[in-house]
Amino acid sequence: MKLNYKQKIFSYFLIVFIFFTAGIFFFEQQREHTYKVETLSSDQLVYASLIQKYIDENNIFPNQMAQINNLLPILPENIRITVIDNKGGVLYDNDVENPDTLENHINRPEIRIAAVKSSGTAIRQSSSLNREFLYFAKHYENYFIRIALPYDVEVKNFLKTDFVFLYFIVFLFFIVLLALVFLSNRFGKSISKLKDFIDSAQTDNFDLANISFPDDELGEIGDKIVNLYGEINKSKKKITLEREKLLQHFQFSQEGVCFFSRKKERIYCNSHFVQYFNVISDNPSLNVNQIFKEPIFKDLQVFLSNKREKNDNLFQTTIFKNGKHFNLKSFCFDDGSFEITINDITKAEKIRLMKQTMTNNIAHDLRTPVTGVRGYLETLRDQPDLPGEKRIFFIERAYYQIVRLSDLIRDISLVTKMEEAADLFNKEPVSILPILTELKEDLNDKTEKKQVTLTIKVPETVQINGNRTLLYSIFRNLMDNSL
């Protein structure tokens, strides 16, 4: 069974407190037991010191140890006194008539401890008397004096554990248990609400306005998380919307766009890129990664494969293939990814060439009227006595050349407009008859001088979807050339 966060908190704290409480209890019991043993040992040390003083003052070591019996009337009846030499041999024991019959005591626990620490204690069964004793041994210069108390009911009761501290620990345990329940409920409530929010956020099934947390630090953290998530969600929606706009722009744009990862894996590619790629490529394919293998894209491949400086991240070239001109660009980003764009500039290239041709033609045509005007003016300047009729003839001829020059300059302005995008001109349904009628009135002086009759035979219903100014220029240009 899976525990929720509240149950986990309660369980963890409970386990920790149980181990902590048990450790404290057992440590206290050991300390209390040690203290009581040391209390008894201090009494036994008094008896041992009394016996040691008696032995040294009467100089009875080691052969007259039986004289210790003289001290027994002033000592407690139930104590057992044993004198042991440094090799473990028993020299005296008040409970044994013949100490020589006792085995060597050098390995007795209390003797081993006393040999190292000067004194030692042990509770154990006596192998010689088959009784349980509390032993205390004190090591002097040439011998050990061991005092043993029978481990009877009286001694056991003295060493028995005092359960008052246990009752206090149990009481404290229940107090802490209640505190744990309260804390786990408080913490668990905040965590549970936060978990519910995360679960609902994963499915976008939440209402930020109705989400609340308890008034504590976890609740404050939860409120901040909810607010941050709300901001992130708003930003995510904005980014998604902008991404959709950008993708739609790429999809319907006349520009071929393709994005690649650092490892040259395709990330996004619009249909125009595939179309232009197949026009340029010698081996048409829907796999645009072939652009890294086709020989015609060799310059691009060299640019992408070479290690570039930080500012050297733009590549651009022009490709002519199958009667079409394409502008190929590549831009590398800081993370190693890059984009490749292909533009069909065939129309713009044709306009450029047309403009160049027309400009050259107009420049050639400009020489004639300029030369003519210059010649007529120089003649008038150099021949002040020229007859009046000739002078008027030269002036008229210069005037007509200037008129022609003005028309050529107007044509140059139209050539300049050829580079402008068609969308810059307003298009609307235009009736042709009013344009031609206006043109006829504007050219009235010219047609009369040329003795030309202009007849318009266009139904009033004829319309063209276009720009009225440019349509007027077309018919004006045709008529001027005709005149």
Side-chain angles (χ1 to χ4, degrees), residues 129-392:
L129 301 179
N130 198 22
R131 290 179 60 189
E132 197 170 15
F133 287 93
L134 170 61
Y135 289 100
F136 172 81
K138 176 66 176 175
H139 184 214
Y140 296 98
E141 182 178 358
N142 298 316
Y143 52 87
F144 296 89
I145 296 177
R146 187 181 70 178
I147 307 297
L149 290 175
Y151 195 63
D152 52 16
V153 175
E154 183 180 355
V155 175
K156 289 181 179 180
N157 288 334
F158 178 77
L159 297 178
K160 187 177 181 180
T161 301
D162 188 357
F163 288 99
V164 174
F165 182 76
L166 176 62
Y167 298 148
F168 173 76
I169 289 293
V170 172
F171 174 75
L172 182 63
F173 174 80
F174 280 106
I175 295 297
V176 173
L177 190 64
L178 294 176
L180 285 177
V181 172
F182 174 77
L183 291 176
S184 61
N185 284 333
R186 190 171 181 84
F187 283 104
K189 186 176 181 180
S190 298
I191 297 299
S192 297
K193 281 186 170 290
L194 188 59
K195 180 179 180 299
D196 293 339
F197 164 72
I198 297 299
D199 292 338
S200 60
Q202 291 177 345
T203 58
D204 290 334
N205 183 22
F206 62 92
D207 183 8
L208 293 177
N210 295 326
I211 296 177
S212 61
F213 293 91
D215 187 16
D216 54 22
E217 292 183 356
L218 281 177
E220 184 179 351
I221 294 173
D223 289 333
K224 291 183 179 180
I225 291 175
V226 170
N227 292 334
L228 288 175
Y229 186 86
E231 295 298 326
I232 292 173
N233 199 39
K234 290 179 182 179
S235 301
K236 181 180 177 182
K237 290 181 179 179
K238 290 181 181 179
I239 292 173
T240 302
L241 181 60
E242 295 300 323
R243 180 177 179 272
E244 291 299 324
K245 290 180 181 178
L246 190 61
L247 292 179
Q248 288 181 12
H249 167 74
F250 288 148
Q251 193 64 31
F252 295 103
S253 172
Q254 296 299 315
E255 181 181 47
V257 181
C258 193
F259 293 93
F260 294 89
S261 67
R262 185 174 185 177
K263 296 181 179 180
K264 298 182 179 180
E265 298 170 344
R266 187 182 72 172
I267 299 175
Y268 169 81
C269 183
N270 66 355
S271 57
H272 283 90
F273 187 89
V274 179
Q275 177 186 346
Y276 296 154
F277 168 72
N278 284 289
V279 173
I280 299 173
S281 176
D282 294 327
N283 301 303
S285 172
L286 294 177
N287 183 12
V288 294
N289 287 75
Q290 293 296 323
I291 197 171
F292 305 116
K293 299 179 181 179
E294 290 286 337
I296 196 169
F297 298 103
K298 183 177 179 181
D299 293 339
L300 173 65
Q301 296 163 11
V302 172
F303 168 76
L304 294 174
S305 61
N306 290 341
K307 293 183 177 179
R308 299 174 298 279
E309 298 294 333
K310 184 176 182 180
N311 296 326
D312 185 18
N313 53 5
L314 179 64
F315 169 81
Q316 183 173 234
T317 187
T318 302
I319 298 176
F320 178 76
K321 190 67 177 294
N322 297 328
K324 288 183 173 291
H325 294 267
F326 296 94
N327 183 27
L328 178 67
K329 290 182 181 180
S330 179
F331 184 83
C332 298
F333 303 104
D334 293 338
D335 62 354
S337 61
F338 57 92
E339 70 168 351
I340 300 176
T341 59
I342 303 177
N343 281 306
D344 185 357
I345 59 172
T346 304
K347 184 177 180 180
E349 190 67 17
K350 287 182 179 179
I351 292 176
R352 186 187 68 81
L353 294 175
M354 186 184 299
K355 176 188 173 184
Q356 182 178 352
T357 301
M358 293 181 67
T359 302
N360 291 336
N361 293 337
I362 292 173
H364 180 267
D365 292 340
L366 283 173
R367 295 191 188 99
T368 301
V370 170
T371 303
V373 170
R374 180 177 179 181
Y376 295 137
L377 293 178
E378 286 178 352
T379 302
L380 292 173
R381 184 193 65 182
D382 297 338
Q383 300 181 22
D385 299 331
L386 196 67
E389 294 180 357
K390 280 285 187 181
R391 183 179 296 276
I392 292 174

Side-chain angles (χ1 to χ4, degrees), residues 32-48:
E32 183 181 356
H33 181 77
T34 301
Y35 171 76
K36 291 181 178 181
V37 170
E38 289 177 351
T39 300
L40 292 176
S41 298
S42 63
D43 294 338
Q44 292 172 303
L45 176 61
V46 173
Y47 304 146

Side-chain angles (χ1 to χ4, degrees), residues 419-435:
E419 287 187 328
E420 298 179 2
D423 292 341
L424 296 179
F425 299 102
N426 295 324
K427 292 183 179 181
E428 58 185 352
V430 179
S431 297
I432 298 301
L433 184 57
I435 293 179

